[in-house]
Amino acid sequence: MEILAKAKKTTKKEKPLKIKGAEAVVKSLLAEGIDLIYGYPGGAIMPVYDEFYKYQDRLHHVLTRHEQGAIHAAQGYARVSGKVGVAIATSGPGATNLMTGIADAQIDSTPVVCITGQVGSNLLGSDAFQETDIVSMSTTVTKWNYQITKASEIPEVLAKAFYIAKSGRPGPVLIDITKDAQFGELDFEYKKCKKIRSYNPIPEMDITQVLAAAELINKAKKPFIIFGQGVILANAEEELKELIEKADIPAASTLLGLSAIPTGHEFNMGMVGMHGHYAPNVLTNECDVLIAIGMRFDDRVTGNLETYAKQAKVIHFDIDPSEIDKNVKTNVAVLGTVKKTLAALNPLINSNINKKWHQEFKDLRKIEHEVIIHPEINPTKEKLTMGEVINAINKETKGEAIIVSDVGQNQMFASRYANFKQSRSVVTSGGLGTMGFSLPASVGAKLGAPSREVVAIIGDGGFQMTIQELGTIMQTKIPVKIVVLNNEFLGMVRQWQEMFFDKRYASTVMTNPDFVTIVEGYGIKAKRVNKRENLSVAVSKMIASKDSYFLEVIVEKEGNVFPMIPTGATVSDVRLK
């Protein structure tokens, strides 16, 4: 009896803890396993920040220099860690400054939860100081959003926010919390969300579709795989590798799918797309079965849809039903997480070696190497090229670094020439193409993978869009390596102006400041290189540094990135020069 009495005593349910809404926000984050957030304080979110101060031994806050920096840092963290990134800001301009990053996260399927402060609920709709209707504004660029006006809503809504952000096809969620809800009291009890009525993030796999896909693949004479970020998000790298090797199928990546399989894998044919590799682009229009895995047939991949892979049977593996038949008509659609669907497919696949088909890839790769790659990384011209800078970084990092590229020519050279040995090594803005992404994203990437080398590759234009985040690096002492490829142009726009606008360089010439002096002002070691004979030593010194390091490389002004598929052209019309 005494034992039973003790058991009853120990199992007695404790009363919920009565706390303020602001503390409930912090406790909810901790309950989700969050120990790192990025943000910028302000009046409407100040109660939550006051609680951060009390919990700073358990919840580390990174003070960025701009709210856009906070959301990009959260994205970088999420992309390399596989966890949900968290960004926080105040109302009005603080909230609107998150919008670019939220839109970026939406189109690139990045799981982030954004928390914004809001004016008191009694002031909503009154045009109060720093009031914006951020919920209405963010509706089209979030997976879900919600405005909390009562403290009692906080635990349940935040639990839903994290579940929605990371489940199924990941994406951004925004939670707006009025100031009175932060001050209000509630009986705190947190339960992780595991299911939401009518929300089915992972479609049920149809085994008949898997069987149909296997039949097409086994009968194919010229099969070809294009894989995207869906493979990485599903942790399906091994399943993809097994399929490629078992069926002997050439494969190529989208921009965001890079690093899912090692660059040096014998069946990895490179990257498809506007500035992708020659062989996979041309042979997309010659394969008889096109197997798309975790990718969405973006226009930068397909070129002219009227002529894209019309000769091929198309198999599409994806978690999102809305992507099926959206751009490219599918013969077989296999819905579900690709880790599960590929695992079901692989036992059904036969080895189907076609040496002639592989030779076609080899022949075209040889052409590209002779015409483009070799001259780019072993130039005879006086000025340094972007490609040789990336190649120098390859030699020092041995393909083991995380490359965080910005947008523009620097992005395309990095994606084309960087080598990757492990997954989650590429962080870049894909669908939205956000200049200024790289510097703050590299901060988040380093915190998400502290044991790995993180190298930010940035153009001189993109660098100046978020240059203030050098202050974040200075204050936090996060050891990221920053490489600015300076051609004193908005390089990608200039390339188009050269090719399609008779070299009318309208508003693309950049008059830049002394980057080295500015960076040194932030207490970061800095070096400028403008001669080939100094490049290797400078890159080696940068990578060897235990602290953050900035390297500015003066590259040729009118260098172009090739191959290139002009807008409106078909993938087989890719230009080598």
Side-chain angles (χ1 to χ4, degrees), residues 38-42 45-53 61 88-89:
Y38 308 86
Y40 204 94
I45 198 67
M46 202 176 297
V48 172
Y49 268 86
D50 188 52
E51 294 299 330
F52 286 160
Y53 186 82
H61 177 269
I88 187 163

Side-chain angles (χ1 to χ4, degrees), residues 134-151:
I134 194 64
V135 171
S136 295
M137 290 176 68
S138 64
T139 296
T140 61
V141 292
T142 51
K143 194 175 177 185
W144 183 59
N145 64 15
Y146 187 86
Q147 186 176 76
I148 294 175
T149 58
K150 297 178 181 178

Side-chain angles (χ1 to χ4, degrees), residues 132-358:
T132 57
D133 185 357
I134 194 64
V135 171
S136 295
M137 290 176 68
S138 64
T139 296
T140 61
V141 292
T142 51
K143 194 175 177 185
W144 183 59
N145 64 15
Y146 187 86
Q147 186 176 76
I148 294 175
T149 58
K150 297 178 181 178
S152 58
E153 297 179 288
I154 289 171
E156 183 180 359
V157 170
L158 285 180
K160 285 183 179 179
F162 280 94
Y163 175 66
I164 291 171
K166 66 188 176 184
S167 59
R169 181 178 180 175
V173 171
L174 182 138
I175 305 301
D176 193 44
I177 310 176
T178 61
K179 201 166 185 179
D180 52 320
Q182 296 171 53
F183 279 124
E185 289 191 336
L186 73 153
D187 292 327
F188 181 79
E189 187 177 10
Y190 195 83
K191 294 180 181 178
K192 283 192 176 185
C193 182
K194 297 180 180 179
K195 187 177 181 181
I196 298 174
R197 184 179 177 183
S198 76
Y199 171 58
N200 300 305
I202 302 177
E204 187 175 347
M205 182 179 66
D206 184 346
I207 194 62
T208 61
Q209 294 297 92
V210 177
L211 292 169
E215 184 178 6
L216 278 179
I217 293 169
N218 287 333
K219 289 181 178 179
K221 302 298 182 184
K222 294 183 174 182
F224 178 44
I225 290 173
I226 300 178
F227 60 91
Q229 188 187 204
V231 172
I232 297 170
L233 294 173
N235 299 311
E237 293 91 343
E238 288 304 314
E239 287 78 6
L240 172 64
K241 189 166 172 281
E242 181 184 346
L243 172 62
I244 290 170
E245 292 175 351
K246 186 175 183 181
D248 201 66
I249 302 178
S253 168
T254 65
L255 175 63
L256 295 186
L258 285 169
S259 83
I261 60 174
T263 306
H265 193 286
E266 63 174 321
F267 294 157
N268 188 345
M269 301 301 157
M271 182 178 72
V272 292
M274 179 172 283
H275 292 287
H277 290 89
Y278 189 50
N281 273 325
V282 170
L283 295 179
T284 294
N285 276 4
E286 294 186 24
C287 66
D288 60 354
V289 175
L290 179 60
I291 307 148
I293 304 174
M295 56 86 74
R296 60 189 181 86
F297 289 113
D298 174 72
D299 64 293
R300 284 292 173 105
V301 166
T302 65
N304 187 345
L305 283 169
E306 296 299 318
T307 57
Y308 183 78
K310 293 299 181 183
Q311 79 294 336
K313 300 287 186 183
V314 178
I315 304 169
H316 195 172
F317 290 81
D318 209 278
I319 198 170
D320 187 352
S322 71
E323 293 296 344
I324 305 300
D325 295 334
K326 186 174 79 174
N327 295 323
V328 173
K329 182 68 177 175
T330 302
N331 297 91
V332 177
V334 184
L335 289 171
T337 172
V338 294
K339 188 174 185 67
K340 183 178 179 180
T341 54
L342 290 183
L345 174 75
N346 286 341
L348 307 173
I349 296 299
N350 302 324
S351 178
N352 188 15
I353 300 173
N354 184 338
K355 292 183 178 179
K356 186 178 179 182
W357 176 231
H358 278 274

Side-chain angles (χ1 to χ4, degrees), residues 384 389 483-487 527 529 535 551-555:
L384 288 159
V389 177
V483 179
V484 166
L485 303 174
N486 185 358
N487 58 7
K527 175 78 173 177
V529 172
L535 177 63
L551 182 63
E552 178 187 15
V553 185
I554 309 301
V555 296

Side-chain angles (χ1 to χ4, degrees), residues 352-476:
N352 188 15
I353 300 173
N354 184 338
K355 292 183 178 179
K356 186 178 179 182
W357 176 231
H358 278 274
Q359 190 60 47
E360 290 187 48
F361 281 91
K362 290 177 182 178
D363 292 344
L364 293 180
R365 292 178 81 178
K366 184 178 180 182
I367 292 171
E368 181 179 2
H369 191 272
E370 291 175 351
V371 176
I372 297 173
I373 296 175
H374 182 77
E376 179 68 33
I377 63 177
N378 300 284
T380 56
K381 58 186 76 172
E382 179 185 353
K383 293 291 185 181
L384 288 159
T385 67
M386 292 190 185
E388 70 176 311
V389 177
I390 305 300
N391 194 48
I393 293 170
N394 284 337
K395 291 177 180 177
E396 288 298 322
T397 62
K398 298 178 173 56
E400 295 174 352
I402 294 171
I403 302 296
V404 187
S405 61
D406 211 78
V407 169
Q409 287 184 320
N410 66 89
Q411 180 187 42
M412 291 297 101
F413 276 107
S415 60
R416 282 182 48 80
Y417 290 93
N419 293 331
F420 307 105
K421 288 185 177 178
Q422 65 183 92
S423 188
R424 296 189 180 273
S425 293
V426 175
V427 180
T428 194
S429 172
L432 197 65
T434 305
M435 289 179 68
F437 174 88
S438 178
L439 187 59
S442 67
V443 170
K446 184 63 179 178
L447 289 171
S451 63
R452 298 188 64 190
E453 194 73 71
V454 174
V455 182
I457 307 294
I458 319 176
D460 47 311
F463 181 53
Q464 292 177 86
M465 286 196 168
T466 52
I467 194 171
Q468 70 277 355
E469 297 309 326
L470 291 170
T472 305
I473 295 171
M474 175 182 65
Q475 183 166 343
T476 58

